[in-house]
């Protein structure tokens, strides 16, 4: 039987994914967990209604210095209130948070065998983090069994609690078609308990955004340039928050070699 070009590509990429392997899935829902608390913004800032959110997949947390440089100098990112990071380890997360003067919560999903480093998601913020959790997503990878997670936090902005998720869904070579939608639905199910929600991260797909929009979310990053060589895969979704204007989201296309992903951002207004 002759394989189609796409089938051959799928097999080759699957072998590559399988060879990269993992040493361990962190299946405990509360550990390992890493956090650090910076000086949170106070009631003097409580009247600030607009939040700037940034999501950035930093390839295996390799270029931390370049990441700090772009996060602190790019006009779209340097005044962020909430930063969502993917493909992180704890030392890289800590360095970025300290450079930005932010609190953070970081959960690793797996320990990778090729890098011997943790791999997971982080939420960084200037506001107080009052609760956090690790959401283990369904459908482990077909080739190496690795799991994906979302790091969830509840951030108190003034007197307003906002549920925030940093998510990293599986790649197209690691799960069956449709399974990525199930992963996003698992996050949405947790978010159902919260009236104000921010979900951001590497969705490894564009069309899953329709699932969030059908559940009442604003798909802030639907349009724009590719965030990876394969497509526009990095997104931010909002519920119970509003966009201040039609120019309230965008893509940072020059990330100064910090990652193979571009960063995305959005501005959100707190609503009564």
């Amino acid at each position: 039987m002759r394989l189609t070009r796409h089938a051959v590509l799928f097999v080759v990429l699957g072998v590559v994914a399988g060879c990269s392997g993992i040493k361990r899935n962190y299946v405990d829902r509360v550990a390992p967990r890493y956090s650090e608390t910076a000086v949170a913004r106070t009631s003097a800032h409580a009247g600030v209604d607009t939040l700037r959110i940034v999501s950035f997949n930093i390839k295996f947390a390799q270029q931390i210095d370049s990441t700090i440089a772009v996060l602190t100098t790019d006009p779209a990112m340097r005044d962020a209130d909430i930063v969502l990071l993917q493909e992180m380890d704890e030392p890289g997360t800590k360095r970025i948070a300290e450079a930005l003067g932010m609190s953070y919560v970081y959960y690793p999903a797996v320990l990778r065998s090729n890098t011997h480093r943790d791999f997971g998601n982080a939420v960084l913020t200037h506001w107080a983090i009052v609760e956090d959790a690790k959401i283990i997503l369904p459908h482990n990878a077909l080739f190496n069994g690795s799991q994906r997670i979302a790091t969830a936090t509840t951030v108190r902005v003034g007197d307003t609690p906002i549920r925030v998720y940093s998510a990293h869904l599986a790649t197209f070579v690691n799960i069956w078609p449709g399974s990525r939608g199930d992963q996003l639905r698992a996050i949405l199910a947790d978010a159902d308990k919260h009236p104000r929600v921010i979900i951001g991260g590497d969705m490894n797909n564009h069309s899953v955004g329709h699932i969030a929009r059908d559940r009442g979310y604003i798909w802030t990053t639907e349009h724009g340039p590719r965030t990876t060589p394969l497509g526009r895969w990095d997104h931010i979704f909002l519920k119970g928050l509003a966009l201040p204007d039609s120019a309230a989201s965008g893509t940072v296309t020059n990330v100064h070699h910090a990652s193979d992903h571009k960063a995305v951002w959005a501005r959100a207004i707190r609503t009564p």
Side-chain angles (χ1 to χ4, degrees):
M1 179 178 67
R2 295 183 62 186
L3 294 175
T4 67
R5 182 182 304 174
H6 288 95
V8 171
L9 177 63
F10 184 84
V11 171
V12 170
L13 291 176
V15 170
V16 171
C19 290
S20 65
I22 60 164
K23 280 192 171 182
R24 180 183 310 132
N25 281 328
Y26 292 118
V27 297
D28 192 318
R29 292 184 180 272
V30 296
R33 170 191 179 274
Y34 303 91
S35 69
E36 192 165 296
T37 302
V39 177
R41 286 182 173 166
T42 65
S43 58
H45 298 89
V48 176
D49 289 323
T50 302
L51 302 173
R52 185 179 294 272
I53 307 132
V54 169
S55 180
F56 197 9
N57 177 321
I58 303 169
K59 183 180 180 181
F60 299 135
Q62 292 174 330
Q63 302 296 331
I64 299 302
D65 289 338
S66 296
T67 300
I68 291 171
V70 72
L71 284 171
T72 55
T73 61
D74 188 277
M77 298 199 288
R78 65 188 177 204
D79 295 321
D81 297 280
I82 295 170
V83 176
L84 312 176
L85 301 177
Q86 302 86 46
E87 298 201 16
M88 293 304 299
D89 60 10
E90 195 276 334
T93 301
K94 180 180 176 67
R95 283 186 57 200
I96 294 170
E98 289 179 345
L100 300 178
M102 288 180 155
S103 301
Y104 73 88
V105 172
Y106 166 72
Y107 284 98
V110 301
L111 174 64
R112 294 183 63 89
S113 60
N114 59 336
T115 63
H116 305 286
R117 293 162 61 187
D118 286 340
F119 176 93
N121 312 329
V123 175
L124 287 61
T125 180
H126 285 298
W127 297 96
I129 298 173
V130 298
E131 184 185 11
D132 63 83
K134 177 172 70 175
I135 312 299
I136 298 177
L137 305 183
H139 306 301
N140 286 5
L142 297 171
F143 296 102
N144 63 19
S146 63
Q147 70 180 10
R148 294 297 174 111
I149 69 163
T151 294
T153 63
T154 300
V155 175
R156 188 174 64 240
V157 180
D159 295 327
T160 304
I162 301 175
R163 189 69 161 178
V164 180
Y165 300 85
S166 179
H168 191 185
L169 308 188
T171 66
F172 73 96
V173 298
N174 273 323
I175 55 176
W176 296 112
S179 297
R180 196 179 294 104
D182 292 341
Q183 293 181 335
L184 180 55
R185 290 185 189 96
I187 299 169
L188 295 171
D190 184 84
D192 283 344
K193 303 187 289 283
H194 305 275
R196 296 175 180 85
V197 178
I198 298 167
I199 301 172
D202 178 4
M203 304 299 153
N204 267 307
N205 183 263
H206 183 269
S207 62
V208 293
H210 295 285
I211 296 172
R213 187 164 60 194
D214 289 346
R215 294 279 287 271
Y217 284 74
I218 300 172
W219 185 359
T220 69
T221 51
E222 179 177 6
H223 303 291
R226 293 182 178 189
T227 59
T228 77
L230 295 178
R232 186 166 178 78
W233 286 359
D234 298 84
H235 294 283
I236 297 171
F237 311 112
L238 306 176
K239 182 182 77 170
L241 302 163
L243 297 179
D245 52 59
S246 60
S249 63
T251 306
V252 178
T253 57
N254 184 1
V255 296
H256 301 283
H257 308 289
S259 179
D260 55 348
H261 283 247
K262 311 304 182 188
V264 294
W265 60 271
R267 287 183 292 121
I269 296 177
R270 289 187 292 161
T271 56

